[in-house]
Amino acid sequence: MRIGLDFDNTIACYDSAITKLAEEMFELPDLVPRTKLGVRDYLRMQDREVEWTAFQGELYGPGMRYAQAYEGAIETMLELNALGHELFIVSHRSKKPYAGHPHDLHAAARAWLKETVQSLGLFINDQIFFLETRDQKVQMIKELGCEIFLDDLPEVLEADQFPSTTRGILFAPDSFNENISTRHTTISQWTSLPALIKQA
């Protein structure tokens, strides 16, 4: 079976990266949560939107050194690979940040993947695709013939162009209810994925 996987916030988790990078870049009051929303809201309240945009460029660039794979993600991908499934990463992220230093964000993601998962024998061939737009991403899912696609964004799975032959699975790690979506199966942990694939 051909299984497509999103990258940002699906394979790569930025929780600890946001905390560490925010501490490096800003002097935050103790009351500000060291989370994506906490840092964003604090900067926006101070009319520092450009700094928030630049922060995201750092996070998805050199800040990826702090990113970690979601719990169970690597083990699940290794299991699916061993069972003979074809795994593809199909992600949309801009190549350069919209503000701040012009890091190559695609290269940063590929470097993280090389160190984190390719060293384990995953995604060795041409199985990684970073696209600039969401429409290009959906088109690539169609061209690859993915029978299943895992993504943290409902708007990707519900896009008009999303192939009807692909089963979308929503990854919602902060959800305790694995059936919160009426349109798509929702999982909150990677280890739930193999059982769903067996049912497909």
Side-chain angles (χ1 to χ4, degrees):
M1 184 173 288
R2 292 196 147 203
I3 302 169
L5 306 167
D6 178 48
F7 178 67
D8 293 309
N9 303 302
T10 300
I11 293 175
C13 176
Y14 296 97
D15 292 348
S16 61
I18 290 169
T19 300
K20 293 175 181 176
L21 195 61
E23 292 287 355
E24 289 180 7
M25 292 182 64
F26 309 116
E27 292 185 8
L28 299 174
D30 292 340
L31 292 177
V32 175
R34 270 55 171 177
T35 62
K36 183 176 182 178
L37 293 180
V39 175
R40 183 199 69 184
D41 292 348
Y42 171 74
L43 292 175
R44 284 181 173 174
M45 279 175 29
Q46 296 192 326
D47 293 323
R48 296 163 67 183
E49 182 70 31
V50 173
E51 289 182 64
W52 165 244
T53 303
F55 174 78
Q56 293 178 84
E58 291 297 317
L59 178 65
Y60 295 121
M64 288 211 67
R65 65 187 182 277
Y66 297 133
Q68 299 174 328
Y70 273 99
E71 183 177 354
I74 292 176
E75 295 84 355
T76 299
M77 289 187 288
L78 286 170
E79 177 184 346
L80 295 174
N81 188 62
L83 290 170
H85 297 295
E86 291 183 87
L87 305 182
F88 298 89
I89 291 174
V90 187
S91 173
H92 85 279
R93 57 157 53 193
S94 61
K95 188 161 188 180
K96 302 289 183 183
Y98 296 110
H101 193 278
H103 303 294
D104 186 332
L105 305 186
H106 289 190
R110 288 183 179 277
W112 186 88
L113 282 166
K114 184 176 181 180
E115 181 178 340
T116 308
V117 300
Q118 288 183 298
S119 59
L120 301 174
L122 293 167
F123 307 107
I124 298 303
N125 299 315
D126 296 330
Q127 297 169 297
I128 301 173
F129 301 88
F130 287 104
L131 295 313
E132 291 271 3
T133 69
R134 187 174 298 161
D135 286 346
Q136 290 173 335
K137 171 181 176 176
V138 171
Q139 181 61 33
M140 182 58 68
I141 293 169
K142 182 177 181 179
E143 289 179 11
L144 290 171
C146 294
E147 296 159 82
I148 285 178
F149 195 82
L150 180 70
D151 204 305
D152 69 301
L153 296 177
E155 52 265 40
V156 171
L157 305 179
E158 295 170 7
D160 291 338
Q161 300 86 358
F162 191 82
S164 59
T165 53
T166 303
R167 179 184 180 187
I169 299 177
L170 184 66
F171 180 60
D174 297 324
S175 170
F176 294 102
N177 179 359
E178 297 203 342
N179 293 292
I180 61 170
S181 172
T182 57
R183 186 167 176 180
H184 303 287
T185 302
T186 303
I187 61 173
S188 61
Q189 52 190 1
W190 268 84
T191 52
S192 300
L193 188 58
L196 291 178
I197 292 172
K198 287 180 181 177
Q199 296 170 9

